Amino acid sequence: MTLVHGIYAAAGIGILMAAVLPPLVRRRPFSIPMVFLLAGAAIALLPLGVPVVDPVRDRVWVEHVTEVCVIVSLMGAGLAIDRPFGWRTWAGAWRFLGLALPLTVGGVALLGGWLMGWPPAVALLLAGALAPTDPVLAAEVRVGEPTSGDDEEDEEEVRFTLTSEAGLNDGLAMPFVLAAVALAAAGGGWSAGWVGHWLLADVLMRAVVGLVAGVAVGRLLGRLFFRSRHARLSQQMEGFTALGATFTAYGLTELLHGYGFLAVFVAACTIRGAERSHGYHQVLHGFSEQIERLLTAVLLFLLGGYLVADGLADLPWQGALLGLALILVIRPAAGAAAQLGFPAGPRERAVTALFGIRGIGSLFYLAYALGEGPFTRYADELWAVTAFTVLVSVLLHGATATPVIRHLDRRRERVS
């Protein structure tokens, strides 16, 4: 019982820290994810007997907790975006989705196969899991709370592009993960049969279902929130309905074999557009952000413990080099290529290319794929490389996000 009570105490302290820390680190080169990651590592090093999560043994648990964390963060991100949807207004997002993400997948897969000696399916799985920018970590480079809508055309480009990219890239990242599963199931051989099915079902159909379901659920909930004559939920100002919207969009879309992550973000943007200036968006966003912060704190605490207990021990130097290459070379180069000709300043383009944060989404993709395909032999190495890459991203991006974004904000204020 002593251990159980200790876990309760640690959980309580962690929850209080999640509430206390944001104002303390807001203007410092230090992020909340860094705190919880390092705290988890420190606790695991102490002789307290605190249990450590093994993502191979506890794969199902890890998959579903990370899944909930990501969909909650996607709802919050979509509700926070002020800019109306459009091909020109969202041009930065389309560039990163259409160019940066596939280039990142290709670069990581090729380097992973060469450095690690992995079969193509394993290298492609790691590439698909690590390619998407994460919507959960580094709040400094995300858009803030929803505004009244008066400044929607002036939403800062770096934060907007990174947030919209993170919200939408699951519709392209998941197909690569599923391609790795299909390739492994086919014995590592490429054939017109499974490739054609993958293109039609996993690339096209599931993305279309995700988009359509997201718009449909978003419009229905928008009417229920703001226009219903008998049950206008915005009058009650209850934030927990954000969870109802999140789970409804995700669950229904997955039942229809669409991409639920994509549907949640699209539904959130659609709800935002239903009544853009209403204060209820702030209530919904605030509740989503609180749940996201709590789940992120728990997951990063456990990730820190796993890293010092097993993760770093299972990490080959080639895997560490691969993670560093992704963050320092592959993503920045892909981001720079995606922005060629984009009408933004050179500093803004550089920051957007550099801050391709890896985090909770990568943990979900890997946990999901390990339950779907024959990757057991490589599970320990895959987890070690993924966890190390997330660690580097949390530390590097967490330490640099605040000073870099503040510098851009000051320059923009001087110019205006």
Side-chain angles (χ1 to χ4, degrees), residues 83 86-101 133 156-166 168-169 331 334-344 348-349 352-353:
R83 190 177 302 189
W87 291 110
R88 295 185 61 184
T89 54
W90 286 50
W94 308 137
R95 284 170 171 265
F96 273 84
L97 293 173
L99 291 174
L101 192 143
T133 297
E156 194 270 316
E157 191 62 43
V158 172
R159 291 186 177 95
F160 171 77
T161 298
L162 288 171
T163 303
S164 56
E165 176 203 1
L168 291 168
N169 60 19
R331 158 66 190 207
Q339 295 180 95
L340 291 174
F342 188 60
E348 285 75 12
R349 291 199 301 269
T352 309

Side-chain angles (χ1 to χ4, degrees), residues 266-283:
V266 171
C269 293
T270 305
I271 293 170
R272 182 80 169 94
E275 191 71 36
R276 195 167 294 276
S277 61
H278 201 287
Y280 190 45
H281 293 298
Q282 294 180 328
V283 177

Side-chain angles (χ1 to χ4, degrees), residues 318-330 332 388-389 392 396:
Q318 297 95 331
L321 183 60
L322 177 59
L324 292 172
L326 166 62
I327 292 173
L328 300 177
V329 180
I330 297 175
F388 173 77
T389 306
V392 174
L396 178 62

Side-chain angles (χ1 to χ4, degrees), residues 240-253:
F240 69 83
T241 55
L243 279 183
T246 302
F247 293 151
T248 299
Y250 185 74
L252 289 178
T253 305

